Amino acid sequence: MATHSAKHLIIGGGIIGCSIAYHLTKNGEKDVVLLEKAALTEGATWHAAGLVGQLRSSRNTTRMLKRSVAMYDSLEAETGMAFDWKKVGSLRLASTRERLLEAKRLTTMARSFDLEMEMISAEEAKSLFPYIDATGLQGAAFIPSDGHVDPASLCQAIAAGARKHGAQIRQGVKVDDFDVSDGRITRVLTSDGDYEAETVVFAAGMWSRELGAKLGIQVPACAVEHQYIVTEPLPDVDLVKGLPTLRDPERLVYYKPDAGGRMVIGGYEEGTLPFGDEGIPGEFVRQLLPDNLDRFGPLAELATQVTPILEEVGIRQVINGPIPYSADGDFVMGWMPGFDNLMMATGFLYGIAAGGGAGEMIAEWITEGRPSLDLWPLDCRRFGPHHGAKAFMYPRAVEHYAHHYKMRYPGQEHETARQLRLSPLYEILKAKGAVYGSKNGWERPLWFAPEGVEPVDQLDFLEPGWHKYAEEEHKAVREGVALIDQSSFAKFEMIGPGSLALLQRLSACNMDKPDGTVIYAQLCNEAGGIEADLTITRLGRDHFYIVTGSGFGTHDADWIRRHMPKDGSVHLIEMTSARAVINICGPKARDVLQSVCENDVSNEAFPFGTAREIIIGAAPVRAVRIGFVGELGWELHVPTEFGAHLYRTLAEAGAEHGIKDVGYRAIDSLRLEKGYLYWSGDITPDTTPIEAGLGFRVHLKSGGDFIGRPVLEKQKVDGPTRKLCTFTTEARLPLYGGETILLDGKVVSLASSAGFGHTMGKTIIFGYLDKPYWDGDGFEIEVFGDRHAVAKVEGPLYDAENKKLKA
């Protein structure tokens, strides 16, 4: 067979693959080839329900979906192909007080994401969708720019646009295998001969997992069964045509008007079935699964409560088809770690809504190296080694599915696939009342339930019960001494003669420091944005110890590896499991530590920002004098097998000082007071260190020729056009991030982080402001639909001169 070549080879002819081909060619890329094993749309696209909603929990995911709508608005004029795009808006009903709070929270988030969404009354909701029974309805939220579409026709229109711009779409071509050399896919073996390509894109939906297996990778994407019904025509066909889409989360159902006056009604029930967990059967081309009305029945019954007319209308058809899902319910996008030229674009639960925008982002990712929007919540590097395992992915996907509309309170944790990655302190702390949450598979204490209090998370929109316990833990850190299990930190050692040169190139600050120095560093991209925010300890001339957040290890290691020289002069070794980490912190931390340590830990012998090898009890410890809570303290990195011994030694020595166990909820309030920032929230690849107030970590004189230097140099000279600001109020507001910040009634920012600072007695909010608003007065924040005055202040609020840290 012939050997073919392509610059960009896309595998999968659903809406995502076609959209990537469209955007690549529209942007001027040549030699774009799409392979589809059957015919276009015949995976999951053809049987999708076709709702196009835009609001999601992250600002940039919402922006991406807005780009879908913008594309669908203009596509018919460009291609001449109709796809029944109806921009009729979407209604979200609030049937209870809790649902009303949820809808209000979503509405203020939408405002901060620059998406028009408004709260309306039950009567207004009924006037928009007359079939609903508004009895007892608390209200509703309405997004006028949402809509619905015919998925298969939309996909064909996008494909036509791609062809028009020069893409080659080859149907009936099945990918059989891959050749890989030195981290590159060099050849794609197909039923139509071999293909050589610069970039290979996996846009194969539920088949991406099977393709990944051929490469020895576990793609954290799968499929589950999803059912919806199509009714017989409702009495007033013309009325149905103009209805908005409708979501009734309390009853777990959605509605979409369909052709001929019919209605599509679907939902998300408990216990859907995984699909393809033992391999996708046969070719599975344009196939459906046997319907299961026993499972759908309860949803249909719930639907009749809100739209009683369904009692009078027959069911024309039941659709049960597998829909793509991922290990955390969100998309799997971006460059696959371990490969130079493999781009992921799979796991699209709501691919019709995302199709246009996701194709645009993937095209940018391929041609520019990164998308114009930071898409960390969708980035495949957010996953750990366990996410693609069947034992994790399918139970978690089924749970996510069941919770698609269920009430989820801020901070709510998953219940399936837990207790995977355990610190050596897990059982010890559990016995002491630890309430655990999960981060990248690690069990981490969120807070500790005192004796007599059940160790179960206490969640609520307005007054979570855990607040009072986290406040006591906060006070222990500020006033006494505390222990925090931070074993879940991602940890790496970098060794080799090229290490310093590599870190000087990657880091915006000078890495050429004496051995034993702890360096807080930002690794920036070409635009000056922060790709990683971590601490690096210099252990020797060619030896560094890198520590980053629990969820960021795969991402940060991938960023470093993609820049490593190919000559073997640098090695990056994962050390996460090798070392447990116990943070001892608080004004009495030195008293406790010195009583069990063979070495001198005085300020003179062991100053802030340094690391030493010490002995505590009988344990060899790498002690790092740094932390995230703003008090005197040490991170104690210890071989994992010594972790329990180290903890017991410190706990016993600290008993006379009232030592307390502290969880991650308290850490958050402590770091807010101190002005410490969180990567992925306060700082991202879209924000620079100078905009974030970290300009002191950008060393233009001694930092060398680091990535992003020209941008940061210009910002240092000219000043940034926006900056991260701190806002406070005496009021104790229920904030969770994402809330809208206003000035004179105009949206000017959103809360990147927010919480209550117990020492300061204030609610603290971080948010970026453009330069025209820096001197503004009269800021407000919108919380559950109500506005509250907040004052812009200079931060940090606590120990601005670092006297406590350096004590």
Side-chain angles (χ1 to χ4, degrees), residues 627-643:
F628 201 49
V629 296
E631 294 291 341
L632 169 67
W634 287 262
E635 285 176 9
L636 305 174
H637 296 247
V638 63
T640 301
E641 66 272 24
F642 285 101

Side-chain angles (χ1 to χ4, degrees), residues 46-73:
W46 72 276
H47 64 73
L51 278 73
V52 178
Q54 299 164 90
L55 181 61
R56 294 298 181 265
S57 58
S58 102
R59 183 188 200 182
N60 282 355
T61 308
T62 302
R63 284 172 163 176
M64 184 176 90
L65 299 187
K66 285 177 69 179
R67 293 188 184 199
S68 290
V69 167
M71 176 179 165
Y72 303 164
D73 284 345

Side-chain angles (χ1 to χ4, degrees), residues 742-774:
L742 305 106
L743 179 63
D744 300 327
K746 178 185 171 185
V747 176
V748 292
S749 187
L750 80 164
S752 62
S753 284
F756 193 76
H758 302 288
T759 306
M760 308 312 297
K762 297 175 192 289
T763 296
I764 303 164
I765 303 139
F766 296 160
Y768 283 87
L769 281 182
D770 290 336
K771 196 170 186 176
Y773 310 119
W774 290 356

Side-chain angles (χ1 to χ4, degrees), residues 301-357:
E301 211 169 293
L302 289 167
T304 59
Q305 294 174 12
V306 75
T307 47
I309 195 164
L310 295 181
E311 305 266 23
E312 305 160 30
V313 180
I315 295 175
R316 183 189 185 97
Q317 191 180 13
V318 180
I319 303 287
N320 184 15
I323 58 170
Y325 235 93
S326 80
D328 67 357
D330 233 325
F331 312 153
V332 182
M333 296 170 68
W335 295 112
M336 187 71 189
F339 291 85
D340 290 345
N341 63 338
L342 176 57
M343 174 59 67
M344 304 304 295
T346 190
F348 282 84
L349 163 62
Y350 41 95
I352 306 307

